[in-house]
Amino acid sequence: MPERLTLPVLPLREVVLFPGVTAPIGAGRPGTLRALEAALKTEDKLVFAVAQRENTEGVEPSALHTIGTIARIGQVQRGLAGMQLLVHGERRAIAMHYAEHAGGWLEAIVRDTEELAPVNAEDPAFVALHREVRARAAELGQKSGLPEEVVQQVLNGVNEPGRFADLVAGYIDLTTVQRQALLETLSVEERIRRVLVHVQRQLSVLEAQEEIKSQVQEELGERQREMFLREQLKTIRRELGEEDEDSEMEELREKLAALELPEAARKEVDRELGRLSRIARESMEAQVIRTYLETILELPWGERSEDHLDLPQAAAVLDEDHYALGDVKDRVLEFLAVRKLRQEHAGDGGAPGNDDDRVRGSILLFVGPPGVGKTSVAKSIARAMGREYIRISLGGARDEADIRGHRRTYVGAMPGRIIQGLKQAGTRNPVFLLDEVDKLGVSFQGDPASALLEVLDPAQNDSFTDHYLGVPFDLSEVLFIATANFIQNIPGPLLDRMEVVEFSGYTEGEKREIARTYLIPRQLRENGLDPAQLGITDAALAGIISSYTRESGVRQLEREIGKLARKVARRIASGEIATAVIDQDQVDDLLGRPKVHPERAMSDDTVGVATGMFYTPVGGDIMFVEASTMKGKGELVLTGQLGDVMKESARAAWTWARAHASELGIPGDLFERDVHVHVPAGAIPKDGPSAGVTMATAVVSALSGRPVRHDIAMTGEITLRGRVLPIGGVKEKLLGASRAGIAEVLVPKDNARDLEDLPEEVRKNLRVHLVEELGEVLALTLHGARYRDGHLVFDADPTEALATVG
């Protein structure tokens, strides 16, 4: 049992004394001074040094920790303010009881604590831990600025691991709470481990301070060196009689003075020039201002291209660059004609009713599938008008700064892409193509589509303000043309500012002519072939179009022709052949197995199978809607990855069939069977209302047992009353039906005007029926059905109809 001692208490504020450590202590509180005087009268001069829990003037037993250090008083120096003394920590102790002595000081009954020594002091892990804390403590002492010999002398004076940990803890920079926690850690191994963590943290802080100091000194040194070299350069130039900084500033002033700047821009330029002349040339701010002024110099404030609005020449350029696209060419020529007349009116003193002499025009939006020539038509417009052509792609742009630029307060700021494009063009009236405007993104950095509202509004883009420039720039003379694949992805306010020009897909005949006129000659040139070395027959070209491409445009077709040309070029280069004429039989050998398997019209009339038409971004095509009855509970089963709208169309068809069962000759008990409607292919999602008439025809055919004609395709939305409503994409759908070998099509009567867009060759090959009621559809598609006086009439029962088909 450890011996108990009664010792005067030395309360410590913000200090923790460790065993083996000598520390200077200042005492001034009356109770503390009386306790020290009492201890000095004893032979051992021992006190119980213990830390206060809080830094308070008064000392209460409850405000003291229980674990402290038995310390011996060394040197003492008395003064007016109290006492200065050195105390040396002897050993840890725990206070069993605090009490107030009659003499007016605190005393404590204490006993020594029992430290938990390691089980095996020779354990390799413990030895390694001890060595590591010694090495790190020595490193910390040296990095703190202490001489190496002094550090080694102090550390080597203590060999016992626990005392060594106390020694290091007494000298490193720790909070009072951290020091008290170490003092109360009785396990030697755990105490060493905690001390090592604190030492390593102190080393990391010192290393970070050294790195920061080094970086600051390096930066200051580079700046001083740069200033010194610039002063030397000034001296050398002065001696050689070359231009100095003043002459450079004067040259910049002259160039800016020669610009035709608006009043607001001139005021901003003069202000920035004044700032530049007052600050040091070497400063970062001077570089920012100089870059800004150089950007102002590079912009086409007064440069214009002379317009060539010769309509016959423009028509010739469009015909030379593009085959077909008659409607698009007409709209472009109309657009140019209006600009020409407005320009003539402006030259005569202004357009009627308009005091503004600027020629403003609408913003064109080219909408259509990929590869149909939207971008190339814009380039042809620029060539026909004699203007510069600039294209920027907006696909994936998510930052408003892409359009408006960054403010000059940001590091690395630059103008937006509109201003950069004008700087690249060198004129203020280029043809500016905004490609993929339907693929703009939105993020926390802003909405670029909203920033385009000002750019594409002819009423306000004459004062477009880029954030980097900070002054208005006139965009009213720029001919903006935007392109998009999906018009529904363009925000309404932005779409409202543009005039839509729709591009439709090409027919197979048009694709053949485009390939002959443009694609094949271009691929022959790119692959180093002469026209005499490679020929492609019409049959081979038709096979490539139908079996290796599935698109409205001709991009994939050109890639396949290029692949064919490379195959032949390799054979010619290796000496296998001298020339080649590719026929349809050789296409598979050169291009591999067909990549596209288009739907073809069925060869037989079938019960429950109707042919519909659909439209995708790559063009139109046909599809088959299959319906079949089976035992069940009178439910409708829908499969084929159908969307909500398509499912509703199927339910509407099912309801209409039940409501008109007697008229259709369908027994009532058939509706107690399940009807399964499936739309291949099952892996492709489908949606839209235009398959309503097709689903209704398939369902009625399955329930009545009457076959559906295989050579007729249909499209249209239906209502519960059986009305056929108009739909979109008529031209593309009919082109797809013609490619699939369909002879007749059913189209809603309200879409009659859309048939005017069909190419002449398609009109000759297709017989179009305009329908208003579902009864008309069934009369044209089902065997033995006729439409008379607004009613559907059947000539034969289902079994006779089947026998006739058989």
Side-chain angles (χ1 to χ4, degrees):
M1 186 73 177
E3 181 183 0
R4 298 190 179 189
L5 299 175
T6 301
L7 299 176
V9 174
L10 174 59
L12 302 176
R13 291 188 290 184
E14 303 296 332
V15 176
V16 176
L17 183 65
F18 286 90
V21 176
T22 301
I25 300 295
R29 289 179 288 186
T32 303
L33 292 175
R34 286 192 288 270
L36 291 174
E37 292 290 352
L40 288 172
K41 293 178 181 179
T42 64
E43 182 179 354
D44 295 332
K45 300 181 180 180
L46 296 178
V47 294
F48 181 60
V50 62
Q52 296 181 202
R53 298 183 186 275
E54 296 180 1
N55 187 3
T56 57
E57 184 68 25
V59 181
E60 298 291 336
S62 59
L64 299 174
H65 288 283
T66 56
I67 294 182
T69 304
I70 297 177
R72 189 181 304 277
I73 301 175
Q75 299 178 10
V76 177
Q77 183 176 357
R78 292 179 174 86
L80 296 177
M83 199 181 283
Q84 297 292 327
L85 62 154
L86 286 177
V87 293
H88 178 76
E90 296 285 338
R91 59 191 183 273
R92 279 177 176 75
I94 183 170
M96 307 297 293
H97 177 69
Y98 288 110
E100 185 76 24
H101 191 273
W105 67 84
L106 274 179
E107 62 180 7
I109 301 174
V110 302
R111 63 174 177 83
D112 294 349
T113 59
E114 297 181 1
E115 293 189 346
L116 302 177
V119 178
N120 182 9
E122 301 299 327
D123 180 60
F126 180 76
V127 173
L129 180 64
H130 186 196
R131 290 180 179 177
E132 179 68 14
V133 75
R134 280 184 174 275
R136 297 285 78 80
E139 181 182 355
L140 178 60
Q142 294 173 14
K143 287 192 174 183
S144 300
L146 299 176
E148 182 179 358
E149 57 274 12
V150 174
V151 173
Q152 293 299 330
Q153 181 180 358
V154 172
L155 297 182
N156 292 336
V158 180
N159 295 321
E160 196 272 320
R163 283 302 178 92
F164 182 80
D166 291 338
L167 176 66
V168 175
Y171 288 104
I172 60 177
D173 185 14
L174 297 174
T175 65
T176 304
V177 175
Q178 291 172 333
R179 290 176 180 274
Q180 184 64 32
L182 287 175
L183 184 67
E184 295 178 359
T185 303
L186 301 182
S187 170
V188 174
E189 183 175 355
E190 180 62 24
R191 194 188 314 153
I192 294 177
R193 194 180 305 278
R194 291 187 180 185
V195 169
L196 178 59
V197 170
H198 290 302
V199 170
Q200 192 63 49
R201 185 178 293 115
Q202 292 293 318
L203 284 172
S204 300
V205 171
L206 289 176
E207 289 174 0
Q209 289 176 338
E210 285 295 326
E211 184 177 354
I212 294 172
K213 181 179 179 182
S214 175
Q215 290 176 351
V216 172
Q217 290 180 345
E218 182 180 351
E219 184 176 349
L220 291 175
E222 285 294 329
R223 289 186 180 180
Q224 291 174 353
R225 178 174 176 273
E226 183 180 352
M227 292 179 63
F228 176 72
L229 290 176
R230 289 190 181 279
E231 289 299 325
Q232 284 187 326
L233 184 60
K234 281 184 182 180
T235 305
I236 294 172
R237 284 181 172 175
R238 196 175 297 113
E239 292 294 330
L240 294 175
E242 295 181 355
E243 296 179 345
D244 57 9
E245 183 178 342
D246 294 336
S247 62
E248 289 182 10
M249 278 291 300
E250 189 60 32
E251 181 183 358
L252 185 61
R253 287 181 186 274
E254 292 175 359
K255 289 181 178 179
L256 290 170
L259 289 178
E260 300 178 9
L261 296 177
E263 182 181 353
R266 175 64 63 188
K267 184 177 180 180
E268 179 69 14
V269 166
D270 292 342
R271 187 176 72 88
E272 293 297 327
L273 270 174
R275 291 181 58 207
L276 182 61
S277 62
R278 292 192 298 270
I279 61 179
R281 183 181 179 184
E282 297 79 13
S283 68
M284 182 65 70
E285 187 177 4
Q287 300 301 322
V288 172
I289 296 175
R290 182 175 291 274
T291 302
Y292 170 73
L293 294 176
E294 289 174 352
T295 302
I296 294 289
L297 276 174
E298 293 171 351
L299 287 176
W301 295 94
E303 298 294 328
R304 294 177 178 84
S305 298
E306 184 179 353
D307 277 349
H308 302 291
L309 297 176
D310 187 344
L311 295 185
Q313 180 189 357
V317 169
L318 291 173
D319 289 336
E320 179 184 347
D321 293 345
H322 300 87
Y323 181 80
L325 298 177
D327 294 341
V328 173
K329 292 177 182 177
D330 289 343
R331 180 62 190 90
V332 170
L333 292 175
E334 292 167 4
F335 176 79
L336 297 180
V338 170
R339 291 189 70 88
K340 180 179 180 179
L341 294 177
R342 289 176 63 85
Q343 192 176 70
E344 291 174 355
H345 283 304
D348 293 338
N354 184 9
D355 296 333
D356 192 348
D357 61 354
R358 282 179 302 227
V359 180
R360 287 174 174 159
S362 57
I363 312 299
L364 295 181
L365 171 62
F366 293 167
V367 178
V372 294
K374 300 185 295 294
T375 302
S376 58
V377 167
K379 190 179 297 184
S380 297
I381 292 174
R383 187 161 76 93
M385 297 181 68
R387 292 192 179 191
E388 294 295 325
Y389 171 75
I390 295 297
R391 172 188 171 273
I392 63 171
S393 177
L394 298 178
R398 307 174 66 86
D399 190 352
E400 180 191 0
D402 285 342
I403 307 300
R404 291 187 177 275
H406 301 82
R407 290 179 173 83
R408 297 197 300 277
T409 52
Y410 295 105
V411 176
M414 62 179 65
R417 298 172 73 176
I418 303 296
I419 295 298
Q420 290 185 37
L422 290 172
K423 185 170 68 172
Q424 179 185 349
T427 64
R428 61 183 297 171
N429 62 338
V431 173
F432 208 120
L433 181 68
L434 304 173
D435 211 4
E436 310 292 355
V437 75
D438 59 325
K439 298 174 180 62
L440 289 168
V442 180
S443 70
F444 66 93
Q445 296 168 318
D447 182 5
S450 299
L452 278 176
L453 294 177
E454 180 185 3
V455 176
L456 300 182
D457 191 344
Q460 55 180 314
N461 64 3
D462 58 341
S463 57
F464 170 71
T465 302
D466 185 276
H467 288 159
Y468 181 81
L469 295 183
V471 294
F473 191 94
D474 188 358
L475 301 178
S476 61
E477 297 183 42
V478 179
L479 174 53
F480 285 105
I481 299 176
T483 70
N485 298 128
F486 304 96
I487 195 171
Q488 63 270 21
N489 292 348
I490 302 176
L494 183 60
L495 183 62
D496 185 59
R497 283 163 168 77
M498 299 182 285
E499 184 170 348
V500 178
V501 179
E502 292 188 357
F503 282 62
S504 300
Y506 296 115
T507 65
E508 288 193 8
E510 291 171 341
K511 289 182 180 180
R512 284 196 299 270
E513 290 300 324
I514 292 171
R516 289 286 180 203
T517 309
Y518 304 101
L519 307 184
I520 294 177
R522 183 160 60 214
Q523 287 303 317
L524 291 179
R525 289 193 303 270
E526 292 183 0
N527 291 284
L529 295 172
D530 293 329
Q533 291 179 298
L534 174 60
I536 302 176
T537 66
D538 289 341
L541 198 54
I544 295 174
I545 292 172
S546 62
S547 300
Y548 291 87
T549 65
R550 183 185 179 89
E551 58 179 346
S552 294
V554 291
R555 283 182 185 161
Q556 183 62 28
L557 176 59
E558 183 171 10
R559 281 193 286 267
E560 295 299 328
I561 293 173
K563 183 178 179 181
L564 197 68
R566 289 192 297 273
K567 299 281 187 182
V568 174
R570 176 181 175 183
R571 294 185 180 183
I572 293 176
S574 62
E576 296 180 23
I577 57 175
T579 61
V581 177
I582 306 301
D583 200 356
Q584 187 173 5
D585 297 336
Q586 299 171 277
V587 172
D588 290 356
D589 296 334
L590 294 172
L591 297 182
R593 67 178 185 272
K595 302 175 182 177
V596 177
H597 303 282
E599 295 282 4
R600 305 299 300 178
M602 298 194 330
S603 57
D604 298 314
D605 298 346
T606 308
V607 173
V609 180
T611 306
M613 295 179 286
F614 68 93
Y615 169 60
T616 68
V618 297
D621 207 341
I622 64 171
M623 66 177 181
F624 300 108
V625 176
E626 303 171 350
S628 179
T629 62
M630 55 188 174
K631 290 183 178 180
K633 301 178 181 179
E635 296 179 351
L636 181 65
V637 181
L638 304 173
T639 57
Q641 284 209 56
L642 308 184
D644 291 339
V645 177
M646 209 164 181
K647 289 178 180 178
E648 291 171 359
S649 297
R651 294 189 182 97
W654 168 249
T655 302
W656 186 88
R658 296 191 68 169
H660 297 77
S662 59
E663 181 182 351
L664 298 172
I666 302 174
D669 57 352
L670 278 180
F671 290 100
E672 297 177 2
R673 298 168 62 88
D674 287 350
V675 175
H676 185 169
V677 177
H678 178 67
V679 184
I684 302 174
K686 312 165 193 71
D687 204 359
S690 63
V693 294
T694 314
M695 288 186 163
T697 302
V699 169
V700 172
S701 172
L703 291 170
S704 65
R706 299 180 181 275
V708 183
R709 289 177 54 186
H710 68 278
D711 60 344
I712 190 166
M714 62 204 79
T715 182
E717 181 182 355
I718 63 168
T719 68
L720 287 178
R721 294 185 296 158
R723 293 186 58 234
V724 180
L725 304 182
I727 41 79
V730 173
K731 178 182 178 182
E732 289 75 12
K733 291 176 180 178
L734 268 58
L735 290 177
S738 178
R739 284 195 298 267
I742 296 295
E744 299 181 37
V745 293
L746 304 183
V747 177
K749 190 173 183 178
D750 290 341
N751 287 114
R753 297 298 300 271
D754 295 327
L755 301 178
E756 299 173 3
D757 299 333
L758 286 177
E760 187 62 30
E761 62 175 300
V762 177
R763 293 186 191 179
K764 292 179 180 179
N765 296 332
L766 274 182
R767 184 181 178 188
V768 181
H769 300 277
L770 299 176
V771 295
E772 290 182 289
E773 300 289 338
L774 188 54
E776 299 177 61
V777 175
L778 297 178
L780 290 167
T781 56
L782 295 182
H783 277 247
R786 288 181 299 140
Y787 196 69
R788 182 186 302 163
D789 298 330
H791 297 284
L792 187 64
V793 178
F794 290 101
D795 293 336
D797 59 33
T799 56
E800 293 176 355
L802 285 172
T804 304
V805 175

